[in-house]
Every structure is written in C-alpha cells, then in structure tokens.
C-alpha cells in the first residue's frame, strides 16, 4: 500500500493553555473555572492543580525547539482568556499578549505554522459567578475577547479555532459535573451548549472583521463515532438519542442553521429551548473554512438506563454504554481506529464541501523513564500507526482531510485526572520539568519526514 499522504499535508501536535502553561497568577492572569475547580477538594485526583503544569510559560523556547526537532509543520495551542483579559474584560494585559506574541514569533522562526484556539475550557471565573455558559452574556463577551486576540496576533497567525470540544464544556462541566465548573443541571448544560454555539458564531464574525482575508477559521468538535450494541430498533434509537445530543446539537446549528427536531423532542421535559432567540442560528451558522475533528475512541450504545449523573441530557432511562472487550488505553478507552475512518466518511457524506483537520488524536499509557532515562511506549506507537492508517484510508475514500495534530506534545495536567495520565510524546518529569522525547516522538518525526507511514 502507498502509505504517503498528500503533498502539503499538515503534521502537527496540540496542547491547551491550562494543561501546560503554569504561571497561574503571574503577569496579571486571574483565575479561570479550572483554577477554582482544581483547588476544590475532591474534584481532581491527588489535589493536583495547573498552577505549575509543565511550566511552558517559562520554557517556551525549549518546547518550540522540541517541535522543530520533531519536524512539526503546525502547532495548535490555546490562549488563556484570563491571561489575555484578566477578569475576562478589557483592558487587555500587554504582558499576557506578549507571552503569546513571543510564542508565535518562536514558532515562525522555527518554520512552524501557529494554530490558535481561543477557548479550551478555561472560562474566567468572574463569568461563571455571573452564570457562566448558560448565560447569553458569556457568548457576547467571548466575541469581544476574540477580537482582542485577533487584533494582537492576526498579522502572524493565519489559522484560528474558536472553541475546542464545546460538548465537553457544556455536558461534562454543567451536566455530569466532572469538569469545571462542576455543575449537575441538564437544563444548564443545554443552555450552555447553545450559548457555546452562539459564542462560536459571534466570534467568527468578530474575527472576520479584524483578520486579513486569507485567514482560516475553524471550530473543533469531539464528534462521537457511535455504534449500536445490538442490531435492534431499541439500540438503534439509543444511538439516535446520543447522536442528537453528542453530535448534531453542534453540527446542525453550525452548518445548517437549525436545531435537530428530535433533540428538541427528546429534551422537551428539560427545556422548551426559549433561550434560542431570533437570529441566533443565523449567527451560529456563519461560514467557516475548516472543521477540526477530535477522535480517541468509538462509543457502543445500547438501550437501558444511564449512569448518574449522565452527560447525555435527554437520554435518561433510554441509554447505556456497555463495556466491550478489547484493548484499552490507560484512560480505559477502547482502541479502535476503524471508528476514526467511520467518522471521517460520515462527515464526507454529510458535509461534502467542508475540509477537515484531525485536531486531536492520541492515547494515554503508563509511561516511565527507565534507568537509562529512555521512555519506551510501543503501545502508543501502535495506536498512532493504526489511526494514521485509518486517516490515510479515509483520504483514499475521498475525504478532504488536510492535516493531523497529535495529542499531545507534552505529558501535562490531564484535567480531573491531574498528573496521573500521560498523553505526551515527550515525557515530563513533573517535579523538575525535564523533557525527554519518548520512542513515539522519534517515530512521529519519521512519519513527518516521510510524509507517510514507515514500514513496520
């Protein structure tokens, strides 16, 4: 099989501000909901916080040098809203903006294209105290923040992503309560999902007004590859319900300017959707240039009773997620690259004119440095190879896939798991911050250099 990817294929890696930056209270940065959540006893394993994380704020040059060594063509990072706009509002912090200006300059000097994500879950705490994402005002403030960031960096950053995984922000943060801000209210989760969609649309409009015309604007969704447990009407309907609240709640407003009728019907006992105002869906469906897709594993869905609390609003009493045998990562997520192919082909069929980027894909394993200081991670290499092969197969099947961003460059603060889960291709010794490329980093560098998969 020809294992080469198309000429110009983008090879990147991705990180998130709160997971790597540290410097939580430096240069004017104010708390985000993740600062508050991680400092609340019992919320994060071992009481870990992102106060230091991997100290990327002070080790930017070292980290960009690692990216250059790997041969990355692109680097996807997120900005901390609280660092750019302390308290979430103007005036902007020049020290905060200078950090991102310096990062972008380092990337460009290294020949790496910067890809900026405006929101990776770290809402300024002040906005949560005023109601958070369930409130319309948060979406309006987000558009203002987008304009500030674009005005500061738009001359050097050509690719912008509004939101990363709004499903997680809405349903893990406001429905299941396992992510910040830790609320368990299905109505709040549905309101948050709509206002995140609105924030995206308003931000795209704000970015278009500031950025040069060639700028590439995107949204990143963690779309769910769903399969029925059994081929029965009940299990197929369970898949439909999860698809409505997991996928189509974002895809249909963003690309078609409408809410899914079955979603509205499924959630009628929770909300009447009166928080959707005239003109909202037109704003949400402001055109973008590319869709980012985050994929880690598929989900098998059956009819039954949901776990409590469930992140799947409107599915209570109808849906369960049975355990399926097979290999799993340290996150207990199944390893199945076919789900990535299935998802990309679905998007080819449903959104034939929308280019795609895989903006996150990777795996956590229990890595450690051996006595010689090396980190061997054959399971991760096998995972990456299988998923890149699935992506290559999707391109052969007509999917307009433009690039692949591996999650993640560095071991980091893994949200509610603290520092206990390692996704990086670069090992981080958290007490010292020492970086050690793993075997997977060298393997990925070879993939980039070949623009394709190496022989086994």
């Amino acid at each position: 099989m020809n294992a080469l990817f198309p000429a110009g294929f983008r090879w990147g890696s991705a990180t998130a501000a709160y997971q790597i930056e540290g410097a939580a209270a430096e240069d004017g940065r104010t708390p985000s909901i993740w600062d508050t959540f991680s400092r609340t006893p019992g919320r994060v394993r071992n009481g870990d916080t992102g106060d230091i994380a991997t100290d990327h704020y002070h080790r930017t040059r070292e980290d960009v040098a690692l990216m250059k060594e790997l041969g990355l063509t692109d680097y996807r990072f997120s900005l901390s809203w609280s660092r750019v706009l302390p308290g979430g509002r103007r005036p902007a912090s020049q020290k905060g903006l200078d950090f991102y200006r310096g990062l972008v300059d380092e990337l460009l000097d290294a020949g790496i294209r910067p890809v900026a994500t405006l929101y990776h879950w770290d809402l300024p705490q002040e906005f949560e105290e005023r109601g958070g994402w369930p409130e319309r005002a948060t979406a309006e403030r987000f558009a203002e923040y987008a304009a500030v960031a674009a005005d500061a960096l738009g001359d050097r950053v050509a690719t912008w992503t509004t939101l990363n995984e709004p499903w997680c922000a809405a349903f893990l943060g406001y429905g299941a309560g396992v992510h910040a801000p830790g609320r368990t209210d299905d109505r709040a989760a549905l309101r948050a999902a709509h206002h995140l969609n609105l924030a995206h649309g308003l931000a795209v409009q704000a970015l278009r007004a500031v950025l040069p015309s060639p700028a590439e604007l995107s949204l990143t969704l963690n779309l769910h590859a769903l399969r029925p447990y059994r081929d029965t009407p009940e299990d197929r309907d369970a898949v439909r319900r999860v698809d409505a609240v997991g996928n189509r709640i974002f895809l249909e407003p963003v690309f078609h300017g409408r809410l899914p009728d079955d979603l509205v019907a499924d959630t009628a006992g929770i909300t009447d959707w009166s928080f959707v105002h005239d003109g909202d869906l037109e704003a949400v469906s402001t055109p973008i240039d590319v869709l980012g897709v985050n994929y880690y594993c598929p989900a098998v869905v059956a009819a039954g009773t949901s776990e409590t609390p469930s992140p799947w609003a409107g599915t209570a009493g109808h849906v369960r997620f049975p355990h399926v045998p097979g290999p799993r990562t340290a996150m207990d997520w199944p390893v199945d690259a076919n789900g990535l192919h299935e998802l990309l082909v679905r998007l080819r069929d449903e959104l034939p004119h929308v280019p795609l980027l895989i903006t996150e894909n990777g795996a956590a394993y229990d890595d450690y440095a051996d006595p010689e200081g090396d980190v061997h991670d054959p399971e991760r290499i096998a995972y990456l190879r299988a998923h890149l092969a699935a992506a290559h197969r999707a391109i052969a099947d007509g999917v307009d896939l433009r690039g692949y961003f591996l999650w993640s460059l560095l071991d980091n603060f893994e949200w509610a798991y603290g520092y206990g889960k390692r996704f990086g291709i670069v090992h981080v010794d958290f007490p010292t911050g020492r970086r050690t490329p793993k075997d997977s980093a060298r393997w990925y560098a070879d993939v980039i250099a070949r623009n394709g998969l190496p022989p086994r």
Side-chain angles (χ1 to χ4, degrees), residues 30-33 36 81-82 85-90 119 122-146 174 181 183:
T30 55
S32 74
I33 55 175
T36 301
W81 190 346
S82 296
L85 292 176
R89 296 176 181 270
R90 291 186 176 95
Y119 187 74
D122 47 357
L123 182 71
Q125 178 62 29
E126 290 84 352
F127 290 161
E128 175 59 24
E129 291 167 4
R130 299 186 186 102
W133 283 114
E135 299 302 319
R136 169 174 297 268
T138 306
E140 295 166 347
R141 299 291 82 75
F142 181 73
E144 295 173 2
Y145 156 57
Y174 291 91
R183 289 160 63 177

Side-chain angles (χ1 to χ4, degrees), residues 368-376:
Y368 60 92
D370 68 16
E372 288 72 40
D374 297 322
V375 182
H376 305 297

